[in-house]
């Protein structure tokens, strides 16, 4: 089945002398771009008479919010300055989009982060690790002491529990705990989640957000040990590269901290154990029924005949004894150009990437380019420290004033507070990076080399997500020349070289004839 790539348009004009036709012209160019690339344009978020120097743009903020709902895969702008003229906001919102699985493309410009920028970011993260580890270590000491006493260590309490304002310990929420009991009893009796949600709604309960319950409202209720009275701490996996934590990913049981019986139990232990086992089995059964295919070169393969993108496809070969799953890429333009086997083209892209970018000569070039970029950013950043600190101070005072106004009953400031806090986060991130760079005049070749080797190891790993991460960074595009034979076709692979900003020349692998005996 073809995977459609869904695009969202973000056209914008800001100055008074720009006419409404500017939006129309941008949108027309974006539509043409999507048609050439084979994208399906599913939504448009136009902002009129709004400056890109501020993130207080209603359609822009709605687009960022919608990205978390997985409504589209790509945001297409006419030009980079339509997205943001301020690089702090640009980096901040691109990180949010990246986290939500959305990338930004421009009709007129190459917007992808350059490989040397990605490597430099990893270098700076490594340099900051010492400071972060020290801070985390001190914070963890206090939190561990609180956890051992059963004191709530932060975050929203599970549904059915609340925090006592005086003791700061969890206690039963008399207005909600019955919904938790209905859920556990329903699972124990074999009821479907839809039926359990209906039963809870009939009793008048609503979710923490005030909505009716659905089958998707229960999350990790079945595995939450707090419901049987155990205090749990340090359960979630480590934070990701954006400093965010996915609470659905858990550490191994031996790495978690449990203090049994310190919270009033909503569910008895025997019922909790039965329900936890049943829900774990449901997940295993559902997983066995799905065959998830990870297409490593999504968005990178183009048809040399009609110019459309290739998309991943799969189907079961009913004639084979074991109902084999066949995977391949297919031209979305339906021009008749050959499909290509997934394993063939992905193996070829990896092989040639190892021969070029990760060769001895390629590695030397990467190191040189990263050091050049470091020197430039270090020099540029020196003059930015004072303005960033001044703006942070102003923002802090502004937010305090708004919060004080809220306390006096003045409404309508909530959205502005959130926007200001997002701005603070972006500025703090940039200031932290600049401070680290000013502390080190240069970066060691061995540090850069270790990160390059890490990427090489990811490329050679058995994890498809690791391989995809590297291929998406380094492969610019792959063109499949016209052919009607899946066993014989010419392909041209273009890798991104290390020119600042991701622009400039490209390293082209000559056409390769794939022959299958």
């Amino acid at each position: 089945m073809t995977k459609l790539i869904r695009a969202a348009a973000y056209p914008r004009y800001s100055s008074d002398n720009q006419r409404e036709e500017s939006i129309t012209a941008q949108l027309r160019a974006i539509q043409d771009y999507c048609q050439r690339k084979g994208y399906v344009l599913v939504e448009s978020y136009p902002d009129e008479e709004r400056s890109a120097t501020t993130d207080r743009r209603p359609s822009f903020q709605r687009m960022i919010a919608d990205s978390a709902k997985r409504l589209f895969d790509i945001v297409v702008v006419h030009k980079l300055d339509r997205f943001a003229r301020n690089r702090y906001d640009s980096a901040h919102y691109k990180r949010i989009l990246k986290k939500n699985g959305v990338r930004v493309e421009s009709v007129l410009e190459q917007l992808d982060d350059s490989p040397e920028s990605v490597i430099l970011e990893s270098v700076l993260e490594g340099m900051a690790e010492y400071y972060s580890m020290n801070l985390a270590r001190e914070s963890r000491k206090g939190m561990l002491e609180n956890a051992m006493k059963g004191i709530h260590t932060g975050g929203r309490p599970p549904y059915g529990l609340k925090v006592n304002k005086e003791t700061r310990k969890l206690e039963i929420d008399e207005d909600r705990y019955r919904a938790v009991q209905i859920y556990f009893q329903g699972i124990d009796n074999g009821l479907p989640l839809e039926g359990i949600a209906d039963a809870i709604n009939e009793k008048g309960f609503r979710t923490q957000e005030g909505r009716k319950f659905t089958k998707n409202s229960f999350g990790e209720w079945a595995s939450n040990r707090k419901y049987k009275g155990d205090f749990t701490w340090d359960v979630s996996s480590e934070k990701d590269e954006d400093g965010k934590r996915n609470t659905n990913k858990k550490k191994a049981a031996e790495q978690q901290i449990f203090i049994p019986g310190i919270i009033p139990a909503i569910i008895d232990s025997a019922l909790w154990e039965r329900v936890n086992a049943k829900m774990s089995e449901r997940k295993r059964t559902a997983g066995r029924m799905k065959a998830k295919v990870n297409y490593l070169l999504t968005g990178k393969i183009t048809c040399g005949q009609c110019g459309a993108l290739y998309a991943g496809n799969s189907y079961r070969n009913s004639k084979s004894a074991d109902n084999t799953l066949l995977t391949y890429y297919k031209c979305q333009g339906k021009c008749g150009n050959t499909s290509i086997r997934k394993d063939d083209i992905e193996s070829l892209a990896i092989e040639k990437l190892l021969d070029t970018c990760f060769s001895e000569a390629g590695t030397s070039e990467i190191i040189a380019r990263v050091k050049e970029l470091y020197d430039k950013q270090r020099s540029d950043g020196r003059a930015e420290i004072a303005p960033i600190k001044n703006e942070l101070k102003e923002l802090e005072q502004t937010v305090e004033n708004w919060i004080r106004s809220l306390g006096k009953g003045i409404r309508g400031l909530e959205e502005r507070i959130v926007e200001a806090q997002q701005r603070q986060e972006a500025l703090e991130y940039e200031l932290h990076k600049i401070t680290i760079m000013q502390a080190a005049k240069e970066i060691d070749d061995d540090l850069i080399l270790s990160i390059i080797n890490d990427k090489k190891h990811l490329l050679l790993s058995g994890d498809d997500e690791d391989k995809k991460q590297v291929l998406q960074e380094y492969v610019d595009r792959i063109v499949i020349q016209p052919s009607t034979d899946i066993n014989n076709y010419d392909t041209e692979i273009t890798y991104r070289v290390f020119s600042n900003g991701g622009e400039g020349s490209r390293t082209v692998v000559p056409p390769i004839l794939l022959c299958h005996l």
Side-chain angles (χ1 to χ4, degrees):
M1 182 179 181
T2 301
K3 182 183 184 301
L4 296 176
I5 297 178
R6 301 163 301 166
Y10 181 64
R12 181 193 62 80
Y13 77 86
S14 56
S15 63
D16 293 335
N17 60 5
Q18 284 182 305
R19 298 169 299 169
E20 187 174 354
E21 286 78 30
S22 298
I23 288 277
T24 305
Q26 288 178 45
L27 187 56
R28 187 183 303 115
I30 291 171
Q31 289 170 336
D32 291 343
Y33 175 85
C34 289
Q35 187 173 5
R36 291 197 310 271
K37 300 280 282 186
Y39 301 158
V40 178
L41 190 59
V42 296
E43 186 59 276
S44 178
Y45 298 88
D47 268 322
E48 300 177 2
E49 297 181 358
R50 299 280 177 172
S51 171
T53 58
T54 175
D55 58 359
R56 291 182 60 187
R57 293 169 274 162
S59 292
F60 181 85
Q61 292 295 342
R62 183 165 59 88
M63 178 185 73
I64 296 297
D66 284 352
S67 73
K69 303 173 186 176
R70 304 298 195 266
L71 299 182
F72 44 82
D73 308 300
I74 296 170
V75 170
V76 182
V77 296
H78 185 246
K79 195 177 178 185
L80 177 56
D81 64 7
R82 301 297 91 186
F83 183 79
R85 286 201 186 105
N86 183 297
R87 71 188 181 97
Y88 309 132
D89 288 337
S90 179
H92 173 66
Y93 287 112
K94 282 183 183 177
R95 285 201 302 275
I96 294 176
L97 291 172
K98 182 178 178 181
K99 175 190 168 189
N100 294 336
V102 177
R103 68 179 184 269
V104 179
E105 292 188 8
S106 167
V107 174
L108 300 179
E109 300 164 308
Q110 169 68 41
L111 289 183
D112 292 335
D113 293 330
S114 62
E116 70 269 31
S117 296
V118 175
I119 291 174
L120 178 57
E121 198 73 23
S122 299
V123 170
L124 295 175
E125 286 172 4
M127 294 166 67
E129 187 173 1
Y130 171 77
Y131 304 104
S132 299
M133 287 177 64
N134 269 355
L135 179 61
R137 188 183 299 117
E138 294 304 313
S139 300
R140 184 179 172 84
K141 285 180 183 177
M143 293 179 71
L144 179 58
E145 289 179 9
N146 285 340
M148 298 306 292
K149 297 175 185 176
I151 295 174
H152 187 56
T153 54
R156 185 164 65 178
Y159 193 92
L161 293 170
K162 63 182 181 180
V163 179
N164 185 296
K165 293 182 179 179
E166 295 181 1
T167 65
R168 292 189 292 148
K169 294 183 178 181
L170 289 174
E171 60 184 29
I172 291 177
D173 185 342
E174 297 293 337
D175 295 327
R176 289 178 165 177
Y177 80 95
R178 180 62 187 137
V180 179
Q181 293 179 337
I182 294 172
Y183 167 81
F184 274 84
Q185 290 162 359
I187 297 297
D188 195 38
N189 291 328
L191 296 179
L193 291 175
E194 294 91 335
I196 296 173
D198 290 341
I200 291 174
N201 289 329
E202 287 176 7
K203 295 291 184 181
F205 296 107
R206 294 296 180 263
T207 66
Q208 305 233 33
E209 292 76 25
R211 304 186 185 98
K212 285 190 174 183
F213 280 85
T214 69
K215 66 177 183 178
N216 300 317
S217 300
F218 303 108
E220 301 294 318
W221 282 25
S223 60
N224 195 325
R225 299 174 67 103
K226 289 186 173 79
Y227 286 141
K228 69 186 185 83
D230 296 348
F231 189 93
T232 59
W233 184 65
D234 206 17
V235 172
S236 299
S237 62
E238 302 296 336
K239 293 180 180 179
D240 62 17
E241 66 274 9
D242 295 321
K244 306 296 183 181
R245 195 185 304 278
N246 183 350
T247 55
N248 292 322
K249 291 184 178 180
K250 310 298 181 185
K251 291 182 177 178
E254 61 271 14
Q255 295 179 304
Q256 302 174 20
I257 294 177
F258 301 116
I259 301 100
I262 202 169
I263 300 173
I266 296 177
I267 306 298
D268 68 72
S269 293
L271 175 58
W272 187 93
E273 296 290 350
R274 290 198 304 273
V275 168
N276 184 255
K278 288 181 179 180
M279 290 303 291
S280 296
E281 180 57 31
R282 284 191 190 183
K283 287 182 180 179
R284 284 194 293 270
T285 301
R288 288 195 296 266
M289 298 302 290
K290 297 178 181 178
K292 187 177 184 300
V293 181
N294 197 340
Y295 293 92
L296 311 186
L297 294 169
T298 298
K300 298 293 184 180
I301 306 176
T302 303
C303 178
Q305 183 159 295
C306 71
L309 276 182
Y310 272 61
N313 274 254
S314 66
Y315 70 92
R316 295 282 180 183
N317 183 1
S318 57
K319 296 181 180 179
S320 63
D322 56 355
N323 201 29
T324 305
L325 181 68
L326 302 177
T327 56
Y328 58 99
Y329 292 90
K330 182 179 180 180
C331 175
Q332 294 185 81
K334 300 180 181 179
C335 66
N337 201 4
T338 181
S339 297
I340 49 177
R341 296 184 184 90
K342 175 181 182 294
D343 290 343
D344 287 346
I345 194 64
E346 290 176 357
S347 297
L348 180 64
I350 291 172
E351 175 190 341
K352 296 303 174 184
L353 181 54
L354 290 170
D355 289 344
T356 53
C357 297
F358 292 112
S359 65
E360 184 176 347
T363 298
S364 296
E365 183 186 358
I366 293 173
I367 292 173
R369 294 288 189 177
V370 170
K371 295 184 78 169
E372 287 177 13
L373 182 60
Y374 180 83
D375 290 341
K376 183 178 184 304
Q377 289 197 8
R378 185 173 184 273
S379 176
D380 293 344
R382 194 175 300 117
E384 296 176 357
I385 293 177
I388 292 176
K389 285 183 176 180
N390 289 337
E391 186 174 352
L392 279 171
K393 188 175 180 180
E394 291 173 3
L395 279 170
E396 184 178 358
Q397 185 61 53
T398 299
V399 171
E400 285 181 5
N401 292 339
W402 284 342
I403 291 175
R404 200 175 295 116
S405 298
L406 278 177
K408 294 178 180 178
I410 299 175
R411 297 300 170 193
L413 297 173
E414 293 87 347
E415 184 178 340
R416 297 176 72 180
I417 290 173
V418 170
E419 291 173 358
Q421 289 173 336
Q422 289 174 339
R423 173 72 172 166
Q424 281 179 302
E425 180 185 339
L427 288 170
E428 286 168 355
Y429 174 85
E430 192 66 22
L431 180 61
H432 182 56
K433 187 169 75 172
I434 292 172
T435 303
I436 292 170
M437 295 177 78
Q438 297 309 309
K441 275 191 174 182
E442 59 182 27
I443 47 178
D444 188 70
D445 288 10
D446 289 341
L447 178 56
I448 304 173
L449 183 60
S450 69
I451 292 170
I452 295 171
N453 286 334
D454 285 344
K455 290 187 177 291
K456 184 176 180 179
H457 293 152
L458 290 178
L459 196 61
L460 296 172
S461 75
D463 188 306
D464 278 350
E465 279 299 331
D466 289 343
K467 294 178 183 178
K468 185 173 184 176
Q469 173 190 324
V470 180
L471 287 172
Q472 290 291 324
E473 282 179 22
Y474 285 85
V475 175
D476 182 57
R477 68 172 184 161
I478 299 174
V479 179
I480 306 300
Q481 299 301 342
S483 173
T484 56
D485 187 351
I486 195 172
N487 294 316
N488 295 280
Y489 53 88
D490 291 336
T491 181
E492 188 177 84
I493 304 178
T494 308
Y495 292 108
R496 299 173 61 197
V497 298
F498 307 96
S499 53
N500 292 345
E503 300 175 356
S505 60
R506 297 289 183 262
T507 301
V508 180
V509 177
I512 298 166
L513 184 65
L514 293 179
C515 299
H516 297 269
L517 302 177

